[in-house]
Amino acid sequence: MNLSSTANTALSVRDPWALVPSLGNLDAYISAVNRLPMLTQEEETRFARRLRDDADVESAGRLVLSHLRLVVSVSRQYLGYGLPHGDLIQEGNVGLMKAVKRFDPEAGVRLVSYALHWIKAEIHEYILKNWRMVKLATTKAQRKLFFNLRSMKQGLKSDASDANAHRNNLSAAEIDSVARALNVKPSEVIEMETRLSGGDVALEPQTDDGEESYAPIAYLADDSSEPTRVLEARRRDALSSDGLVRALAVLDDRSRRIVEERWLKVNDDSSGGMTLHDLAAEYGVSAERIRQIEVAAMKKMRKAMEAA
């Protein structure tokens, strides 16, 4: 389709969107919307009244179509946030459609002036949601400070000397200057500056370095409530109490006393129970024989616990 030959009749077709390419081809889209003619004030008022009184969808489309170039122009002001230009335009178009829906032709203002607020509001919301994973500004005052502080910081950097141009953080004097200009407290400027200076940290390791990779997920994850861990903990607690009692019950008196002295008894000085030689002297056998009895007793206890 030849956009040049159809630009003058763009607003007269039944489907005014037919002449606007997809945002997938950004250059073609911008070229197309910039060639579409603007509405006169009389046309704008007539279409707005039709939309208000008769809910005429075609009139709404013509109002939106004639202001798409405004969205493109506004969206360019926010390219410094590193977000895709097409996404910024798309969000701005949403704001434009909201403005068209609410526009009152009897208010005495042009749609371009009324829509500007809605376009910026949608773009601001998109930036705040997507610029960082964690929201930087939640209240109206914080949002205003967020955008104003970024623009003022860029101005301060451009005015700074070459020796200080590399600095990222504001000095105390610059913080006071910004606070006075924006009519906020210096502490609020410092807090937002801290948020802006921070960055997102990936929870998962970004490279497969084996044992060398160490990301926050390694120490932030709480797996204490994970089902398998809960079952393991219950099983371990059961074996250390009732299971141990049942396992000791399968042993003869001598074997049980050897196991208790060697593994279960703790003296006041935390030195443990009797040694192999102590038990060997008590029972009149060698230390090796006591060790053999201990090994056999542990095997019996293990089988008893596995069967429980």
Side-chain angles (χ1 to χ4, degrees):
M1 181 179 295
N2 190 330
L3 292 175
S4 299
S5 62
T6 58
N8 293 329
T9 60
L11 298 180
S12 63
V13 296
R14 186 65 184 173
D15 182 8
W17 298 100
L19 301 175
V20 181
S22 168
L23 266 172
N25 189 339
L26 189 58
D27 292 336
Y29 174 88
I30 294 175
S31 177
V33 299
N34 284 334
R35 293 184 183 185
L36 295 176
M38 298 289 291
L39 294 175
T40 64
Q41 185 170 3
E42 291 75 16
E43 290 174 329
E44 180 180 295
T45 302
R46 184 170 70 253
F47 288 136
R49 285 172 179 168
R50 288 181 186 176
L51 174 60
R52 181 195 62 189
D53 300 336
D54 305 324
D56 184 31
V57 177
E58 182 181 351
S59 296
R62 293 181 177 183
L63 289 170
V64 171
L65 187 65
S66 64
H67 288 81
L68 290 179
R69 67 176 68 192
L70 173 64
V71 176
V72 172
S73 176
V74 173
S75 65
R76 287 196 180 100
Q77 303 172 18
Y78 299 93
L79 292 177
Y81 292 92
L83 297 173
H85 192 192
D87 290 349
L88 295 173
I89 294 176
Q90 185 65 36
E91 295 301 318
N93 287 343
V94 173
L96 174 60
M97 288 186 282
K98 289 182 178 181
V100 168
K101 181 179 180 180
R102 294 167 173 81
F103 180 60
D104 181 6
E106 316 302 338
V109 297
R110 294 296 300 270
L111 177 58
V112 62
S113 300
Y114 181 76
L116 198 59
H117 162 77
W118 291 93
I119 295 170
K120 288 185 176 181
E122 288 297 320
I123 293 178
H124 287 186
E125 186 68 22
Y126 171 75
I127 291 173
L128 290 173
K129 285 182 178 179
N130 296 276
W131 192 55
R132 294 272 177 82
M133 292 179 64
V134 179
K135 257 194 171 182
L136 293 176
T138 55
T139 66
K140 183 177 180 180
Q142 287 178 341
R143 293 179 182 184
K144 181 179 179 181
L145 179 58
F146 171 81
F147 289 102
N148 288 333
L149 182 57
R150 274 184 60 88
S151 60
M152 292 191 70
K153 279 187 65 176
Q154 292 175 356
L156 290 171
K157 286 182 180 180
S158 62
D159 295 338
S161 62
D162 294 339
N164 296 323
H166 66 280
R167 291 188 298 107
N168 291 323
N169 297 328
L170 296 176
S171 64
E174 290 171 338
I175 290 174
D176 291 337
S177 176
V178 171
R180 287 194 301 271
L182 299 179
N183 195 26
V184 296
K185 298 178 181 178
S187 59
E188 296 175 355
V189 177
I190 295 174
E191 180 182 357
M192 184 57 66
E193 167 71 6
T194 302
R195 296 185 184 187
L196 289 171
S197 300
D200 295 328
V201 178
L203 293 178
E204 299 285 357
Q206 300 301 301
T207 57
D208 187 13
D209 294 331
E211 296 180 356
E212 298 299 326
S213 60
Y214 190 72
I217 195 66
Y219 55 84
L220 290 179
D222 181 13
D223 56 2
S224 60
S225 299
E226 200 269 327
T228 57
R229 293 298 182 94
V230 173
L231 292 176
E232 289 176 359
R234 291 177 180 175
R235 176 68 174 172
R236 184 173 60 253
D237 293 342
L239 290 177
S240 63
S241 55
D242 297 340
L244 181 59
V245 171
R246 288 194 296 268
L248 288 171
V250 303
L251 303 178
D252 59 80
D253 292 342
R254 184 176 65 173
S255 298
R256 182 166 57 253
R257 181 161 184 271
I258 290 174
V259 171
E260 289 176 345
E261 288 290 342
R262 294 279 293 145
W263 296 101
L264 302 178
K265 182 174 289 186
V266 179
N267 295 330
D268 294 338
D269 58 357
S270 300
S271 61
M274 301 173 66
T275 65
L276 291 175
H277 293 283
D278 292 337
L279 291 168
E282 179 177 332
Y283 287 106
V285 296
S286 65
E288 176 59 21
R289 178 56 184 157
I290 295 296
R291 190 192 66 79
Q292 293 173 355
I293 295 174
E294 177 186 340
V295 171
M298 297 295 282
K299 289 182 179 179
K300 288 183 180 179
M301 291 179 64
R302 190 175 296 109
K303 289 182 180 179
M305 285 186 171
E306 291 174 353

